[in-house]
Amino acid sequence: MRKMFYPESVMVYGVSDSPNNLGRNTVENLERFGFQGSVYMVSREGGELNGRKIFQHIEDIQTVPDLAVLLIPAKAVPDALERCGRKGIPCAIIQSAGFSEFTEAGRRLEENLLDISRRWNIRFMGPNCIGTINLDNGLVLPFFPIFPDAMKKGAVSIVSQSGGLIIDIMRLLILENIGFNKALSIGNKLDLNECDYLEFLISDPETRSIVIYLENFSDGRRLMALARQTQKPVVVLKANRSSSTHQIARFHTTALAGDDDVADTALKQAGIHRVRTITELADAVKIFSLPLMKGNKLGVVCRSGGQAVTLADAAHRHGFVLAGLSDSVFDHVRKKIRAGVIRMTNPLDLGDVFDIRVYEEIIEKVLQEPEVDGVIFGHTYTHDESIPPTQELIRATKRLSQQYGKPVVFFLIAGRNHFFALRETDDFPIFADPEQALQALAVSRRHHGHQSLRTATQQPSSGRVKPEDKAPSKSTPAFMDPEESFRLLSSYGLPVADFAIVTSLKETCDAAEIIGYPVALKIASPEILHKTEARGVHLNLKDRSALAAAFQTTNTDRFLIQKMSAPGREVMIGGRQDPEFGPVILFGLGGIFVEVIRDVALRICPIDPEEAGRMIEETKGFRILQGFRKQPPADLKALKAFLITVSRILVEHPEVQNLDINPMLVFYEGQGCLVVDVKIQINGI
Amino acid sequence: MRKMFYPESVMVYGVSDSPNNLGRNTVENLERFGFQGSVYMVSREGGELNGRKIFQHIEDIQTVPDLAVLLIPAKAVPDALERCGRKGIPCAIIQSAGFSEFTEAGRRLEENLLDISRRWNIRFMGPNCIGTINLDNGLVLPFFPIFPDAMKKGAVSIVSQSGGLIIDIMRLLILENIGFNKALSIGNKLDLNECDYLEFLISDPETRSIVIYLENFSDGRRLMALARQTQKPVVVLKANRSSSTHQIARFHTTALAGDDDVADTALKQAGIHRVRTITELADAVKIFSLPLMKGNKLGVVCRSGGQAVTLADAAHRHGFVLAGLSDSVFDHVRKKIRAGVIRMTNPLDLGDVFDIRVYEEIIEKVLQEPEVDGVIFGHTYTHDESIPPTQELIRATKRLSQQYGKPVVFFLIAGRNHFFALRETDDFPIFADPEQALQALAVSRRHHGHQSLRTATQQPSSGRVKPEDKAPSKSTPAFMDPEESFRLLSSYGLPVADFAIVTSLKETCDAAEIIGYPVALKIASPEILHKTEARGVHLNLKDRSALAAAFQTTNTDRFLIQKMSAPGREVMIGGRQDPEFGPVILFGLGGIFVEVIRDVALRICPIDPEEAGRMIEETKGFRILQGFRKQPPADLKALKAFLITVSRILVEHPEVQNLDINPMLVFYEGQGCLVVDVKIQINGI
């Protein structure tokens, strides 16, 4: 994999000296960025470019290049890849478009490419991508001109499923004075996918944080497992959230849209930071260039009352608390103020201090406060003469932030004429919107929280559980027989109401005697989804005559008879196989909580006890389970154990496509819970 | 009021030739911006500035200036204002700080200023402000140097309760290539408040849209009435949303924080656009420089598949629908494409079209589609040579947007070196984040929706209803007697359950005979808030002996006996006097909807039938009222009428501080509703 990004020699296939030739741009990019390795050019026509020979055949090259870059018509790619393989080239980047993102014929070409690559053990990026930019060694492969003075080297690496968007992201980061190290446009992900690149970047010493734009997940579970292994922040912009984008995404890079809620949950569980927009992406990257926010307590220092109010407002919105400041800070401020109209509070409005150098001292004083986890500083200047001291302040703030190991978020709206000069004062991020700045700081706090959580409780490795079949099965899954469904739960020790499957009136009455009245009688068919509405359910039958009457009026030949249980809180527990992340588990209170307000908690399986507890607690219905209006609390311990077991069933039975335990009753504390009904769909054989 | 912004002569009080003198900056600003009126300088010390005389006394000036600007120590302001008044000066701006925002003594000074201004009929801005910038006539009054080349004249006017923040807002707008016309820092709003300035700006022909930063509302109802009268967009950044900012806000400009939910509702009802951040503020202003978005259907044209996906994503998130495009568009595109790997859909990904001039034609084709209400165009360029054609495209897009009367949102991340050149190509907004661009477009659509709503249904003028006492009353409001409370509702024709107030067992039983069994017996005290939990409620007493038993076990000497009603859906209707917006009404379903998930709808009173309907529909519980799980629908007509009447009670009885009708039962369609319990708090006499 390293040869893909640090090759000693590169072959570019598809170069001519025509001014419109795209491959030519690649070669010229490599020159402009001072790539030190050998570069071989190939095209059917041969010839010369800038006095250097263009080979007509791959075979004509004397040595074996580490990397082949192919930009030729789609239908010519298989043959070229075959030749690369035969020659022993280990890596290729297929930039050409016109594959599965475009037509069915293109999809067949892709199958062909996979065969060839497996035969020759050649790994490749693409097709349908612009390739790689590695500023560390000048490996700049896109097929349009790129200039060094428009780039900025840094420690962020970018992986993007879209070539167009990677340009937007790079440009935005550079505007924000953030340099990047490697940018990879990964296209259709036919062979190597985002997980392979992530694995490489995690081990890449030049990369400190990783940004990924994705339209679909190639292997959600591996992505989660990788992100859990690293301390490096991973920020994901996952598009394709709504059904209206499925069409274009499929056309674009053959994205098969997953369930967006599952993606949200999965990324959160793995400690990956999901952003919605490129601006949030840039802000997250900026915040990760500062020390992490290790707690909740913020010091706010600013230069106008209006800033103080809006910063405190935004702090509150993002869950921060204004730290109490000690007299040590206030005494220092008192020594420095002029007209004496400053209130000694946090936020500290220093509009009255006109000497910019004083701010450095005050920021340091606030950083020294043990209660303070981080500082936001709001700067405003009105004179051009303030520019040099402001730049000095930016440098000092960077130094202080590092020295105290706490983030200092610098908020400043620079004037048009000094915009870039101020922003580019140092490798230190400047924010221009208090809301965005504090949203980013919340990402930093979350990252810290996730890191400490990870070291505290070792998450179960989830890498081994993989969805069985990534292409969604075309065959309709079959319903499992109710009896089998109940037995499956029982076999894991889950409490189910006493039941029997019966067909005749006699059997029914006999079963009732064994189970004990009162009983419920239901149609024993999982396919009638809302049995209550279909009048297929008779509850609370107290004796034989009531049972017989119910039997007579129901039009079926197979019944489920069940012991009526004591009343309890109705909850529902669901599960399904997600095509991108494998088994997921769902929990919610029954009735309006699930059906009207969609109040559910979701997790990728397996879950541990802490995760099960968080699932229950994050639902709005949790208040009901805790004991609402003087009711005793429900048996949360039993519920937690139940969720963990269901998660285990889902992991150990990948043939279960959907599972719906609804209702389950949770009784008062210490009294356990009981499954009343369950439906299971399994993959057809 | 016009003289405040267009004076023929200005007096600046507090000028000396010292280099540190602040008033001097004001005078020099007026010179730099070419203010054409006369400028008189005054200070106790007299002397000269740049060869012009500084008067020692206001009285020494021969004529009567239109406007006085005071920047002298707080305690000297009353005397100066007195002299201004005596001289006949009609307007003043008091820039000095040190008033109620700082100390109690400062608050007393303010009372003094109000007395003086009323006596002499002099209106003033401030205190504690930086004054006015009017780029229309060069009236630039802040006490720090401002330079013409850092400003940009346009059609937006800004009103801000914070002087520091107005600088941030101005600078941000200029960065975004948006000029402003007038910027007013209004400080403590002691005499003139935001409503006065809004009224002026609504009538100001130079102002096309209005931006207001507020920390508190001086007269919420007047603000609403004014905003309803104008077609000009009004955008409000209302800070001070959370309790943690109350302290600083009070200190800063004596803001008394209002209930933020009420503010949200009030602004929405008046068609004012509330933004949370200065970035949203700038985006809203930018979008209002385009034609309004008159519908929901969006055409998306862009230059990469990744852009297509993210734009479509963001469109969906902000409630837009991708318009269907006709063959007329697609045929045109087909004629222009190169490699032929473009799918004919909306979003239209034109990454394959390299000639930027073609985009103009395609945007026009899309604008011509009758189904399309607006277009978002995502641009990406990679070469420096693309800059001139991109600028040409920006100009063409502006022209097309105006010609077709539809917004074209231009999305582009400009490279660092061309950042301002591209953004400042023309008076046409450039957006750098698809999410923010479409959020802004949603504001435009909302503005259009509000405008059409306003012309369709004439809103009742709400200006006349004003909170009785703006300072929150210190006296605890008293509870109204339960009997009176029920009678108040009855007197408006609202259905209440038959009831009687009784004290002895005999009275109780007699009353039950008249009302008819079954009955409920409750403690007749509104102060026991949760009667059920206090065991002060006995329901469903079927006969005399049950009633007597309940009577004996309850420890009170005053009972409410009430007829048990048929079962119905429990709802709650509340009301209260908001200190900033007067009477507000609240509606929600009972039980967990209100108590667990806080599912309520809120409005400023009075409400009309449409608004009452929208209140009911916007609650999550609406689904229950519509008839959940084959239940018949509830009597929504009766509920709507009920809400309107409660709103009328709140308007006509300003002494009602809090009102809580809970529960009220809503029966099935056609069967009305019934008040079961009500609590009312009124202002102590």
Side-chain angles (χ1 to χ4, degrees):
Chain A
M1 188 73 162
R2 201 177 149 76
K3 285 194 175 161
M4 180 79 91
F5 305 103
Y6 290 94
E8 289 182 8
S9 51
V10 179
M11 176 191 84
V12 184
Y13 195 157
V15 182
S16 82
D17 67 350
S18 146
N20 291 327
N21 177 264
L22 298 177
R24 177 185 174 147
N25 289 325
T26 301
V27 173
E28 289 172 352
N29 283 335
L30 288 167
E31 273 168 28
R32 265 192 296 266
F33 281 83
F35 175 68
Q36 295 293 311
S38 320
V39 177
Y40 304 100
M41 301 178 281
V42 182
S43 80
R44 289 278 153 102
E45 296 76 23
E48 282 195 353
L49 175 66
N50 303 337
R52 290 173 52 210
K53 180 184 169 69
I54 300 175
F55 293 94
Q56 272 192 296
H57 304 287
I58 294 175
E59 294 76 6
D60 299 343
I61 303 172
Q62 299 295 312
T63 60
V64 179
D66 286 339
L67 174 66
V69 180
L70 309 182
L71 183 56
I72 52 181
K75 60 181 192 306
V77 172
D79 177 60
L81 192 67
E82 178 82 34
R83 288 160 184 271
C84 291
R86 196 179 304 136
K87 189 158 176 79
I89 298 178
C91 303
I93 295 179
I94 303 174
Q95 296 178 327
S96 322
F99 290 87
S100 65
E101 82 284 1
F102 189 54
T103 57
E104 177 57 25
R107 205 190 52 70
R108 283 192 301 270
L109 277 178
E110 285 191 351
E111 284 171 16
N112 208 342
L113 290 183
L114 271 185
D115 284 347
I116 295 165
S117 75
R118 279 171 194 152
R119 195 160 59 243
W120 295 108
N121 195 23
I122 178 170
R123 305 302 305 263
F124 65 90
M125 175 183 283
N128 186 23
C129 67
I130 64 171
T132 295
I133 300 176
N134 183 355
L135 294 183
D136 195 34
N137 66 348
L139 185 79
V140 177
L141 300 174
F143 43 80
F144 43 83
I146 297 183
F147 297 88
D149 68 348
M151 297 284 120
K152 181 179 162 68
K153 188 176 159 187
V156 182
S157 287
I158 310 164
V159 176
S160 170
Q161 202 170 339
S162 157
L165 215 67
I166 210 166
I167 303 287
D168 289 341
I169 293 173
M170 273 166 24
R171 193 171 276 149
L172 188 62
L173 291 182
I174 292 165
L175 281 179
E176 296 285 355
N177 193 35
I178 296 285
F180 70 95
N181 199 274
K182 296 175 180 67
L184 327 176
S185 154
I186 64 176
N188 289 5
K189 311 191 289 184
L190 182 56
D191 175 28
L192 295 167
N193 65 36
E194 66 270 23
C195 298
D196 302 304
Y197 304 114
L198 177 61
E199 191 171 35
F200 168 74
L201 292 173
I202 285 174
S203 69
D204 175 28
E206 303 301 317
T207 296
R208 278 209 305 272
S209 58
I210 300 158
V211 160
I212 308 179
Y213 167 76
L214 285 180
E215 288 167 7
N216 72 330
F217 295 97
S218 292
D219 185 346
R221 293 205 159 241
R222 190 172 154 221
L223 188 78
M224 290 176 74
L226 286 167
R228 279 180 173 146
Q229 283 162 26
T230 182
Q231 297 276 349
K232 294 182 184 178
V234 180
V235 178
V236 166
L237 177 62
K238 168 70 170 64
N240 203 7
R241 295 175 57 128
S242 63
S243 56
S244 64
T245 57
H246 289 178
Q247 203 188 17
I248 184 77
R250 182 162 331 111
F251 293 150
H252 176 48
T253 37
T254 64
L256 277 168
D259 177 332
D260 197 59
D261 296 322
V262 173
D264 243 6
T265 296
L267 296 178
K268 215 173 282 164
Q269 266 178 271
I272 296 172
H273 304 285
R274 181 173 189 173
V275 292
R276 290 170 313 146
T277 73
I278 48 175
T279 302
E280 275 180 38
L281 186 151
D283 286 333
V285 170
K286 282 163 76 175
I287 210 77
F288 283 125
S289 65
L290 295 175
L292 289 183
M293 181 76 177
K294 299 192 187 67
N296 219 18
K297 301 252 177 59
L298 195 64
V300 179
V301 183
C302 56
R303 299 198 64 186
S304 81
Q307 279 187 352
V309 172
T310 48
L311 288 174
D313 246 14
H316 178 84
R317 242 189 325 261
H318 294 288
F320 293 105
V321 170
L322 301 182
L325 300 182
S326 75
D327 282 341
S328 145
V329 175
F330 295 141
D331 288 346
H332 190 87
V333 174
R334 271 190 208 99
K335 270 185 267 165
K336 302 290 181 179
I337 52 179
R338 214 169 89 136
V341 289
I342 291 179
R343 283 278 170 178
M344 295 299 156
T345 56
N346 180 17
L348 204 48
D349 164 11
L350 302 182
D352 205 36
V353 177
F354 288 84
D355 181 356
I356 292 181
R357 282 160 304 180
V358 172
Y359 288 95
E360 177 183 341
E361 301 167 27
I362 294 173
I363 291 171
E364 177 157 20
K365 278 283 169 193
V366 176
L367 281 171
Q368 283 169 350
E369 296 284 289
E371 209 194 305
V372 167
D373 298 307
V375 171
I376 182 160
F377 173 61
H379 190 47
T380 300
Y381 65 89
T382 50
H383 311 246
D384 281 7
E385 304 96 79
S386 317
I387 304 300
T390 294
Q391 292 189 304
E392 190 37 55
L393 180 60
I394 291 171
R395 282 185 283 263
T397 306
K398 176 186 175 186
R399 208 166 50 234
L400 290 172
S401 179
Q402 285 168 348
Q403 182 183 336
Y404 290 93
K406 299 176 180 180
V408 181
V409 177
F410 202 106
F411 158 62
L412 164 69
I413 300 177
R416 184 202 177 293
N417 300 331
H418 314 288
F419 187 78
F420 288 110
L422 282 173
R423 198 174 257 199
E424 294 166 5
T425 300
D426 204 334
D427 276 334
F428 186 72
I430 306 292
F431 291 84
D433 184 297
E435 178 77 15
Q436 291 170 5
L438 286 164
Q439 186 174 13
L441 197 61
V443 171
S444 173
R445 181 189 53 196
R446 208 184 321 134
H447 192 69
H448 173 74
H450 183 79
Q451 297 295 6
S452 18
L453 201 71
R454 212 180 45 163
T455 45
T457 65
Q458 196 58 39
Q459 290 267 6
S461 153
S462 316
R464 40 192 178 98
V465 191
K466 266 188 71 168
E468 287 300 280
D469 178 12
K470 271 189 260 165
S473 163
K474 294 279 191 285
S475 70
T476 322
F479 281 99
M480 197 184 243
D481 183 78
E483 189 168 4
E484 281 179 65
S485 303
F486 278 108
R487 298 232 184 280
L488 175 63
L489 300 190
S490 294
S491 72
Y492 276 81
L494 295 178
V496 303
D498 282 351
F499 74 97
I501 300 289
V502 288
T503 52
S504 69
L505 180 58
K506 180 169 182 312
E507 258 180 46
T508 306
C509 295
D510 291 351
E513 292 302 327
I514 297 165
I515 290 170
Y517 287 99
V519 295
L521 190 70
K522 306 172 181 177
I523 297 176
S525 161
E527 297 188 40
I528 296 173
L529 288 180
H530 285 283
K531 289 178 197 146
T532 315
E533 287 167 23
R535 292 174 201 280
V537 173
H538 302 269
L539 297 178
N540 215 17
L541 305 169
K542 296 212 169 97
D543 51 31
R544 191 185 169 110
S545 74
L547 181 60
F551 186 92
Q552 306 296 357
T553 56
T554 308
N555 184 23
T556 186
D557 52 6
R558 197 151 177 272
F559 288 93
L560 173 75
I561 182 169
Q562 210 174 18
K563 189 172 174 63
M564 280 304 292
S565 60
R569 281 286 172 202
E570 289 193 6
V571 302
M572 76 86 82
I573 290 142
R576 66 178 174 84
Q577 289 288 334
D578 180 82
E580 292 179 328
F581 289 96
V584 297
I585 183 168
L586 193 95
F587 163 74
L589 253 72
I592 60 157
F593 280 98
V594 166
E595 296 186 44
V596 178
I597 65 172
R598 300 174 171 282
D599 172 36
V600 292
L602 189 69
R603 290 294 185 285
I604 312 297
C605 302
I607 53 171
D608 62 15
E610 285 72 31
E611 203 69 63
R614 282 194 289 268
M615 277 185 84
I616 301 170
E617 284 161 29
E618 81 184 30
T619 62
K620 292 193 178 115
F622 177 54
R623 267 189 65 194
I624 304 282
L625 295 174
Q626 280 180 299
F628 184 59
R629 288 204 157 175
K630 305 205 169 170
Q631 296 253 351
D635 197 334
L636 295 172
K637 211 173 132 189
L639 176 58
K640 221 153 85 170
F642 192 98
L643 287 171
I644 295 165
T645 306
V646 172
S647 148
R648 199 151 66 85
I649 295 176
L650 290 163
V651 169
E652 293 174 5
H653 292 271
E655 74 277 14
V656 171
Q657 288 301 297
N658 284 292
L659 172 152
D660 197 355
I661 300 175
N662 185 19
M664 175 169 89
L665 299 176
V666 187
F667 305 113
Y668 294 142
E669 208 159 37
Q671 297 176 29
C673 51
L674 188 73
V675 174
V676 175
D677 211 349
V678 57
K679 278 191 297 285
I680 297 177
Q681 252 183 335
I682 51 172
N683 252 347
I685 315 144
Chain B
M1 188 73 161
R2 199 175 151 77
K3 285 193 175 162
M4 181 78 92
F5 304 104
Y6 290 95
E8 290 184 5
S9 52
V10 178
M11 177 191 83
V12 185
Y13 196 156
V15 182
S16 81
D17 65 351
S18 146
N20 292 325
N21 177 263
L22 298 177
R24 181 186 171 145
N25 288 325
T26 301
V27 173
E28 289 171 355
N29 282 336
L30 288 167
E31 273 169 28
R32 267 193 296 267
F33 281 83
F35 175 67
Q36 294 294 311
S38 320
V39 177
Y40 304 100
M41 299 177 282
V42 182
S43 81
R44 286 279 152 102
E45 297 75 24
E48 280 195 353
L49 176 67
N50 304 336
R52 288 172 54 210
K53 180 185 171 65
I54 300 175
F55 293 93
Q56 273 191 294
H57 303 287
I58 296 175
E59 292 78 5
D60 300 343
I61 302 171
Q62 299 294 315
T63 59
V64 179
D66 285 339
L67 173 65
V69 180
L70 308 182
L71 183 55
I72 51 181
K75 61 181 190 304
V77 172
D79 177 60
L81 192 66
E82 177 83 35
R83 286 160 186 270
C84 291
R86 197 178 302 136
K87 190 160 175 78
I89 298 177
C91 301
I93 295 179
I94 303 174
Q95 295 177 328
S96 321
F99 290 87
S100 66
E101 83 283 2
F102 190 54
T103 58
E104 176 58 24
R107 205 191 52 71
R108 283 194 301 270
L109 277 177
E110 285 191 352
E111 283 171 18
N112 209 342
L113 291 183
L114 271 186
D115 284 347
I116 295 165
S117 76
R118 278 173 194 150
R119 195 159 61 241
W120 295 109
N121 197 24
I122 178 170
R123 303 302 305 263
F124 65 91
M125 174 184 282
N128 186 23
C129 69
I130 64 171
T132 295
I133 300 176
N134 184 354
L135 294 183
D136 196 32
N137 65 348
L139 185 78
V140 176
L141 299 175
F143 42 81
F144 45 81
I146 297 183
F147 297 88
D149 68 347
M151 297 285 119
K152 181 178 162 73
K153 190 176 156 186
V156 182
S157 288
I158 310 165
V159 176
S160 170
Q161 202 171 336
S162 157
L165 214 68
I166 210 168
I167 304 286
D168 289 343
I169 293 173
M170 274 166 23
R171 193 171 277 149
L172 187 63
L173 291 183
I174 292 165
L175 281 179
E176 295 286 355
N177 193 35
I178 295 285
F180 70 95
N181 200 274
K182 295 174 180 69
L184 326 177
S185 154
I186 64 176
N188 290 5
K189 310 191 289 182
L190 182 56
D191 175 29
L192 294 167
N193 65 36
E194 68 270 24
C195 297
D196 302 304
Y197 303 114
L198 177 60
E199 191 170 35
F200 169 74
L201 293 173
I202 286 173
S203 69
D204 175 29
E206 303 301 317
T207 297
R208 278 210 304 272
S209 57
I210 300 159
V211 160
I212 308 179
Y213 167 75
L214 285 180
E215 288 167 7
N216 72 331
F217 295 97
S218 293
D219 185 346
R221 292 207 160 240
R222 189 171 156 222
L223 188 78
M224 290 175 74
L226 285 167
R228 278 181 172 143
Q229 282 162 27
T230 181
Q231 298 275 349
K232 295 183 184 177
V234 180
V235 178
V236 166
L237 176 61
K238 167 70 170 64
N240 204 5
R241 293 175 59 128
S242 63
S243 55
S244 64
T245 58
H246 290 179
Q247 203 188 17
I248 184 78
R250 184 165 326 113
F251 295 148
H252 176 48
T253 36
T254 66
L256 277 168
D259 178 330
D260 198 59
D261 296 322
V262 173
D264 244 5
T265 297
L267 297 178
K268 214 173 282 164
Q269 266 179 272
I272 295 172
H273 305 284
R274 182 173 188 172
V275 291
R276 289 170 314 146
T277 74
I278 49 175
T279 302
E280 275 181 39
L281 185 152
D283 286 334
V285 170
K286 283 162 75 175
I287 209 76
F288 283 125
S289 65
L290 295 174
L292 289 183
M293 182 75 178
K294 299 194 187 67
N296 220 18
K297 301 251 177 61
L298 196 63
V300 179
V301 183
C302 54
R303 298 197 65 185
S304 80
Q307 279 188 351
V309 172
T310 48
L311 288 174
D313 246 14
H316 180 83
R317 238 183 333 256
H318 293 287
F320 294 106
V321 170
L322 301 182
L325 300 181
S326 74
D327 282 343
S328 145
V329 175
F330 296 140
D331 289 347
H332 190 87
V333 174
R334 269 188 208 103
K335 268 184 267 166
K336 302 291 179 176
I337 51 178
R338 215 170 90 137
V341 287
I342 291 178
R343 283 278 170 178
M344 295 299 156
T345 56
N346 180 18
L348 204 48
D349 164 11
L350 302 182
D352 205 37
V353 177
F354 289 84
D355 181 356
I356 292 182
R357 282 160 303 180
V358 172
Y359 288 95
E360 177 183 339
E361 299 167 29
I362 294 173
I363 291 171
E364 177 157 19
K365 278 283 171 197
V366 176
L367 282 171
Q368 283 169 349
E369 295 284 289
E371 210 195 305
V372 167
D373 298 306
V375 172
I376 184 162
F377 173 62
H379 190 47
T380 300
Y381 66 90
T382 50
H383 311 246
D384 282 6
E385 305 96 78
S386 316
I387 303 298
T390 294
Q391 292 190 303
E392 189 37 56
L393 181 59
I394 290 171
R395 281 186 283 264
T397 307
K398 177 187 174 184
R399 209 167 48 235
L400 290 171
S401 179
Q402 286 168 348
Q403 182 184 336
Y404 290 94
K406 299 175 180 180
V408 182
V409 177
F410 202 106
F411 159 62
L412 164 69
I413 300 178
R416 185 202 176 293
N417 300 331
H418 313 287
F419 187 78
F420 288 110
L422 281 173
R423 198 174 258 199
E424 294 167 6
T425 300
D426 203 335
D427 277 333
F428 186 73
I430 306 293
F431 291 85
D433 183 296
E435 178 76 15
Q436 291 170 4
L438 286 164
Q439 186 173 13
L441 196 62
V443 170
S444 173
R445 181 190 52 195
R446 208 184 320 135
H447 193 69
H448 173 74
H450 183 78
Q451 299 294 9
S452 17
L453 201 69
R454 211 181 44 164
T455 45
T457 65
Q458 196 58 39
Q459 291 267 5
S461 154
S462 316
R464 41 196 176 96
V465 192
K466 267 188 72 169
E468 288 298 282
D469 178 13
K470 270 189 260 165
S473 164
K474 295 275 189 288
S475 69
T476 323
F479 280 101
M480 197 185 243
D481 183 78
E483 189 168 4
E484 279 179 64
S485 303
F486 278 108
R487 298 231 184 281
L488 175 62
L489 300 189
S490 295
S491 72
Y492 276 81
L494 295 177
V496 304
D498 282 350
F499 74 97
I501 300 290
V502 288
T503 53
S504 70
L505 180 58
K506 180 170 184 309
E507 260 181 45
T508 307
C509 294
D510 290 352
E513 292 302 327
I514 297 166
I515 292 171
Y517 288 99
V519 294
L521 190 69
K522 305 172 181 177
I523 296 177
S525 161
E527 298 188 39
I528 297 173
L529 289 180
H530 283 284
K531 289 179 197 148
T532 315
E533 287 168 22
R535 293 173 200 279
V537 173
H538 302 271
L539 297 179
N540 216 16
L541 304 169
K542 296 212 169 97
D543 53 31
R544 192 183 169 111
S545 73
L547 180 59
F551 185 92
Q552 304 297 356
T553 56
T554 307
N555 184 23
T556 186
D557 52 5
R558 199 151 177 273
F559 287 93
L560 174 75
I561 182 168
Q562 211 173 19
K563 189 172 175 61
M564 281 303 294
S565 60
R569 280 286 172 204
E570 288 193 7
V571 302
M572 77 86 83
I573 288 140
R576 66 177 174 85
Q577 289 288 334
D578 180 82
E580 291 179 329
F581 289 97
V584 299
I585 183 169
L586 194 97
F587 164 76
L589 253 73
I592 61 156
F593 280 98
V594 166
E595 296 185 43
V596 180
I597 65 171
R598 300 176 171 281
D599 171 36
V600 291
L602 188 70
R603 289 296 184 284
I604 312 296
C605 303
I607 53 170
D608 61 16
E610 285 72 30
E611 203 69 63
R614 282 193 289 268
M615 277 185 85
I616 300 169
E617 284 161 29
E618 81 184 30
T619 63
K620 295 196 175 109
F622 176 55
R623 267 190 64 193
I624 304 281
L625 295 175
Q626 280 180 300
F628 184 59
R629 288 204 156 176
K630 304 205 171 170
Q631 295 255 350
D635 196 335
L636 295 172
K637 211 173 133 191
L639 177 57
K640 221 153 86 170
F642 192 98
L643 287 171
I644 294 165
T645 306
V646 172
S647 149
R648 199 151 66 84
I649 294 176
L650 289 163
V651 168
E652 294 175 5
H653 293 271
E655 75 278 12
V656 172
Q657 289 300 298
N658 284 290
L659 173 150
D660 197 354
I661 300 174
N662 186 21
M664 176 169 90
L665 299 175
V666 188
F667 305 112
Y668 293 142
E669 209 159 39
Q671 296 175 32
C673 49
L674 187 73
V675 175
V676 175
D677 210 348
V678 57
K679 276 190 300 286
I680 297 177
Q681 253 184 334
I682 51 171
N683 251 348
I685 314 143

